[in-house]
């Protein structure tokens, strides 16, 4: 599963190539693009029969492999696939699709114990740098010193930040990063070919949405305000759309991998009984650039885009029940990870400025949250500077947000099979700095 144009079909083709390299006979591999008009009205059983006829495959024998691409456009696909899995034990089936709810919800109903879901999100910053072959901008984490760092470093933060700005504006889709022509006309590629097809075709056909304009208006509002807190009450008041309708629309937009909602906790890490307020993030920061215009790193809204980029790195992990943000009357913390006991394990404040590196005592909200939850260390991102300082008895570690994003993406992609979010977060606390400054005076602290 994954959003449009993220590379699902290419990944299937790579899988076919690997099977052939591993010695599987090519005529025992079948690929079908289910949404092709020629197959309109065909069931999965019919398509499998056509595959057998074309490749002269008999039942039984060595394993065969069948790939159904864009399977969600076939009515009751999950029921048919369950039947095929039960009756064709020698065939390995892989199905792909871009509408999450049509896949995940139905597979949970009909494929329990038979289907396994895999998510292919947009590119992380680490993958972006790797595809462009610019890993020379990074230096490996130095874990040899007393404060061994789990973070990657760089000898040229300006060059790395230049790539980070490009990543936030253009970097979520593989084919965009290699094409200056697409970058010059991002609205046509992303808006027309990706967003509009989801909003105008996929979601209406899957869920019977009648007022497409309402859905489009809501998504545009949420995209413009990515990384900001919203409420159903406020959205309803401003749009004139009923709260129950807006709630369904938001669920649909999440199902289509366009947005991700994050719920709020209070100063002491407690959840609210009624989730009246929540944050909305675009799953891919470059969607905002396509809908409106690319941002410069000096634009007022770039901080929100940087926060969206930082949060989107976590989409390769299961953040549904683990990541939150904290807000109370006098403060906020951008990212909080909950442990198995649903208590804050670590916190990150995302900033696109170096101001607080020299004035950490101004981070009153972060110190208040840390003190309330027994945390002795906090992490704050900056634009270009790294530093470790002790302020008000709490160790504050600063790291450029570009290095934070690269390291998070690297750790999740490389180690997600054996490490959970809390472990990764603990590793990220080991930020190396050449100098640990003396404690800040307590003046000015709340």
């Amino acid at each position: 599963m994954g959003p449009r144009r993220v590379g699902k079909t290419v990944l299937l083709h790579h899988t076919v190539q690997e099977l052939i390299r591993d010695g599987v006979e090519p005529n025992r591999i079948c690929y079908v693009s289910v949404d092709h008009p020629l197959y309109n009205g065909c069931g999965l059983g019919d398509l499998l029969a056509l595959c057998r006829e074309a490749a002269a495959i008999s039942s039984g024998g060595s394993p065969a492999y069948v790939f159904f691409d864009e399977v969600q456009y076939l009515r009751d696909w999950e029921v048919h696939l369950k039947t095929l899995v039960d009756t064709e034990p020698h065939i390995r089936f892989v199905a792909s699709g871009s509408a999450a709810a049509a896949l995940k919800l139905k597979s949970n109903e009909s494929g329990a114990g038979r289907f396994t879901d895999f998510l292919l999100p947009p590119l992380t910053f680490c993958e972006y740098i790797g595809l462009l072959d610019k890993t020379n901008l990074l230096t490996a984490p130095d874990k040899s010193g007393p404060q061994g760092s789990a973070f990657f470093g760089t000898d040229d933060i300006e060059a790395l930040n230049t790539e980070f700005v490009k990543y936030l504006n253009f970097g979520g889709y593989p084919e965009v990063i290699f094409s200056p022509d697409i970058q010059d006309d991002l609205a046509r590629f992303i808006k027309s070919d990706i967003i509009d097809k989801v909003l105008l075709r996929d979601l209406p056909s899957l869920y019977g949405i009648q007022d497409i304009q309402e859905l489009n208006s809501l998504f545009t509002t949420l995209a413009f305000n990515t990384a900001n807190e919203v409420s159903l009450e406020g959205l309803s008041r401003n749009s004139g759309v009923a709260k129950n309708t807006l709630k369904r629309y938001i669920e649909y937009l999440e199902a289509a991998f366009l947005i991700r909602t994050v719920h709020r906790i209070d100063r002491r890490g407690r959840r609210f009984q009624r989730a009246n307020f929540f944050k909305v993030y675009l799953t891919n920061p470059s969607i905002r650039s396509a809908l409106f215009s690319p941002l410069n790193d000096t634009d007022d809204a770039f901080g929100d885009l940087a926060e969206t980029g930082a949060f989107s790195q976590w989409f390769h992990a299961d953040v549904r029940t683990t990541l939150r943000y904290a807000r109370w009357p006098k403060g906020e913390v951008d990212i909080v990870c909950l442990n198995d006991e649903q208590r804050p394990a670590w916190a990150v404040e995302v900033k696109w400025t170096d101001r607080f590196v020299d004035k950490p005592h101004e981070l009153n909200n972060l110190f208040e949250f840390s003190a309330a939850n027994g945390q002795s260390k906090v992490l704050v991102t900056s634009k270009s500077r790294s530093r470790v300082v002790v302020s008000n008895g709490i160790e504050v570690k600063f790291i450029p947000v570009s290095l934070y994003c690269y390291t998070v993406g690297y750790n999740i992609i490389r180690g997600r099979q054996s490490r959970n979010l809390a472990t990764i977060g603990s590793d990220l606390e080991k930020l190396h700095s050449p100098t640990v400054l003396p404690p800040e005076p307590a003046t000015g602290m709340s």
Side-chain angles (χ1 to χ4, degrees), residues 374-386:
Q375 296 177 335
S376 61
K377 300 178 181 180
V378 294
L379 192 146
V380 182
T381 69
S382 64
K383 183 176 181 179
S384 61
R385 296 175 61 188
S386 297

Side-chain angles (χ1 to χ4, degrees), residues 5-74:
R5 313 298 288 189
V6 78
K8 300 183 300 297
T9 298
V10 172
L11 186 62
L12 295 186
H13 291 166
H14 285 179
T15 305
V16 170
Q17 185 179 36
E18 288 298 315
L19 288 172
I20 294 174
R21 287 176 178 174
D22 290 343
V24 177
E25 297 179 17
N27 71 330
R28 299 196 70 81
I29 305 172
C30 294
Y31 169 88
V32 182
S33 183
V34 176
D35 63 343
H36 196 288
L38 284 175
Y39 305 135
N40 188 29
C42 291
L44 293 185
D46 300 325
L47 296 176
L48 180 60
L50 292 174
C51 290
R52 280 202 169 107
E53 180 181 354
I57 298 177
S58 58
S59 299
S62 58
Y65 302 84
V66 176
F67 297 85
F68 292 123
D69 201 4
E70 298 290 0
V71 73
Q72 78 273 6
Y73 292 111
L74 182 65

Side-chain angles (χ1 to χ4, degrees), residues 249-265:
Y249 285 169
I250 289 173
E251 291 174 352
Y252 298 158
L253 293 172
E254 281 197 277
F257 301 105
L258 291 176
I259 64 170
R260 183 64 67 89
T261 59
V262 180
H263 294 291
R264 186 173 71 165
I265 57 176

Side-chain angles (χ1 to χ4, degrees), residues 83-365:
T83 301
L84 292 180
V85 170
D86 290 339
T87 59
E88 305 283 356
H90 68 291
I91 298 180
R92 313 294 189 257
F93 294 97
V94 178
S96 81
S98 56
L103 289 168
K104 193 174 185 65
L105 296 183
K106 291 187 177 181
S107 68
N108 286 341
E109 293 171 4
S110 303
R114 296 174 177 85
F115 300 163
T116 301
D117 295 337
F118 296 90
L119 176 62
L120 185 64
L123 294 175
T124 64
F125 185 48
C126 175
E127 292 171 317
Y128 169 86
I129 290 292
L131 285 173
L132 292 180
D133 196 22
K134 293 189 176 182
T135 54
N136 61 300
L137 292 174
L138 283 302
T139 58
D142 181 8
K143 300 183 180 181
S144 60
Q147 298 181 53
S149 175
F151 286 99
F152 282 84
T154 181
D155 294 327
D156 192 345
I157 187 60
E158 290 187 5
L160 185 65
N161 279 348
T162 296
E163 293 303 324
F164 185 64
V165 172
K166 291 180 181 178
Y167 165 75
L168 294 179
N169 282 312
F170 311 112
Y173 300 100
E175 58 194 302
V176 177
I177 68 176
F178 293 113
S179 175
D181 292 337
I182 294 179
Q183 294 177 19
D184 290 339
D185 193 7
L186 199 63
R188 183 193 64 81
F189 176 79
I190 295 181
K191 187 177 186 301
S192 300
D193 195 39
I194 299 176
I195 299 173
D196 285 353
K197 284 185 178 179
V198 173
L199 296 180
L200 302 181
R201 188 182 75 172
D202 293 358
L203 293 181
S205 64
L206 289 169
Y207 302 111
I209 297 173
Q210 300 296 320
D211 196 332
I212 299 175
Q213 186 174 356
E214 277 186 353
L215 179 66
N216 185 70
S217 177
L218 172 65
F219 176 66
T220 302
T221 299
L222 296 177
F224 186 79
N225 293 285
T226 182
N228 284 275
E229 187 179 61
V230 297
S231 70
L232 290 176
E233 181 72 31
L235 291 172
S236 177
R237 184 171 57 251
N238 293 331
S239 65
V241 181
K243 288 190 290 185
N244 287 338
T245 301
L246 289 173
K247 185 177 180 180
R248 290 198 305 271
Y249 285 169
I250 289 173
E251 291 174 352
Y252 298 158
L253 293 172
E254 281 197 277
F257 301 105
L258 291 176
I259 64 170
R260 183 64 67 89
T261 59
V262 180
H263 294 291
R264 186 173 71 165
I265 57 176
D266 67 10
R267 181 175 64 92
R268 297 187 178 276
R270 297 172 300 193
R271 300 173 63 180
F272 290 87
Q273 290 185 347
R274 296 182 62 186
N276 295 324
F277 294 89
F278 52 93
K279 273 191 176 184
V280 175
Y281 291 93
L282 290 170
T283 56
N284 187 337
S286 58
I287 291 177
R288 191 191 189 285
S289 300
L291 287 174
F292 306 104
S293 64
L295 292 177
N296 297 317
D297 65 348
T298 57
D299 290 335
D300 291 339
F302 196 84
D304 292 336
L305 199 65
E307 183 180 334
T308 300
F311 208 99
S312 68
Q313 307 306 301
W314 292 100
F315 292 157
H316 283 259
D318 183 10
V319 300
R320 252 302 178 208
T321 60
T322 316
L323 293 189
R324 297 285 190 271
Y325 75 101
R327 175 166 282 189
W328 59 100
K330 294 183 180 180
E332 178 184 352
V333 178
D334 292 326
I335 303 177
V336 178
C337 177
L338 303 182
N339 59 22
D340 293 339
E341 288 76 36
Q342 295 296 293
R343 297 295 302 163
W346 50 264
V348 176
E349 183 71 8
V350 181
K351 303 291 188 183
W352 179 252
T353 176
D354 291 330
R355 169 187 170 184
F356 298 99
V357 178
D358 294 320
K359 299 180 179 181
H361 56 274
E362 294 185 0
L363 297 166
N364 294 344
N365 55 339

Side-chain angles (χ1 to χ4, degrees), residues 378-397:
V378 294
L379 192 146
V380 182
T381 69
S382 64
K383 183 176 181 179
S384 61
R385 296 175 61 188
S386 297
R387 198 182 195 187
V388 178
V389 59
V390 177
S391 184
N392 204 40
I394 294 178
E395 185 177 277
V396 187
K397 300 186 178 184

